[in-house]
Amino acid sequence: MEKYIITLFLALMIGEFSNKSIVLEQPQDSTLIIKVNDEYYYSNGEESEIYGRCGVMDGRITSTVEQTEFPEKNNQSNFGTDYGYQYINDTIEVNLNGKWIVFQKDKSI
C-alpha cells in the first residue's frame, strides 16, 4: 500500500512540474528584475561606472508587474515602464531617472 501512495505522490509531483519550464524564487523587495530576449537580468541598484555613452537605446521597458512578481514578457520589469536600456558587454544597463543601473544575468549579485 505504501508503495502505491509513493507512486501516486510522485506521479502528481511530476505532473505538477511538467507544465513549468523553470521554478523561480519569489523576488525580494529590493531585487530589480527585467526580462529581455527570454532571459532574466537582476540588479540590487548598483550604479554603472561607465561614462560617455551614446544616446541610442538598445531597447525600452514597455510593461511592468508587481515588485514581488517575475516579469513574464520580454521588455517587462518589476519596477516600472518606459525606461531605456543599453547592452554593455554581458550586462544590461537601465536608465532609471538619470542614473544607469547595472543588471546581470546571474542572480548572485
Side-chain angles (χ1 to χ4, degrees):
M1 179 72 165
E2 184 179 323
K3 191 183 292 185
Y4 294 113
I5 292 173
I6 292 172
T7 303
L8 177 61
F9 177 75
L10 290 174
L12 289 172
M13 293 302 296
I14 290 169
E16 175 70 24
F17 291 111
S18 66
N19 293 331
K20 297 178 177 135
S21 59
I22 187 167
V23 176
L24 301 170
E25 282 183 35
Q26 193 72 9
Q28 297 177 4
D29 287 343
S30 61
T31 304
L32 305 176
I33 306 169
I34 59 175
K35 185 175 181 179
V36 176
N37 293 327
D38 296 322
E39 297 199 66
Y40 289 101
Y41 291 81
Y42 303 86
S43 180
N44 60 6
E46 174 190 350
E47 201 169 336
S48 174
E49 296 179 3
I50 296 176
Y51 298 98
R53 63 181 75 230
C54 75
V56 177
M57 297 298 118
D58 295 320
R60 183 162 295 284
I61 297 171
T62 57
S63 63
T64 190
V65 296
E66 295 294 322
Q67 188 172 8
T68 56
E69 297 177 8
F70 275 91
E72 295 180 8
K73 302 174 186 174
N74 283 317
N75 298 314
Q76 190 173 60
S77 79
N78 70 342
F79 55 85
T81 62
D82 206 31
Y83 296 107
Y85 62 81
Q86 293 180 335
Y87 290 100
I88 305 293
N89 299 321
D90 60 345
T91 66
I92 289 180
E93 297 190 1
V94 179
N95 188 342
L96 293 174
N97 304 321
K99 294 182 180 180
W100 288 95
I101 305 300
V102 178
F103 286 76
Q104 301 175 14
K105 285 183 190 178
D106 183 4
K107 189 175 178 183
S108 61
I109 49 176

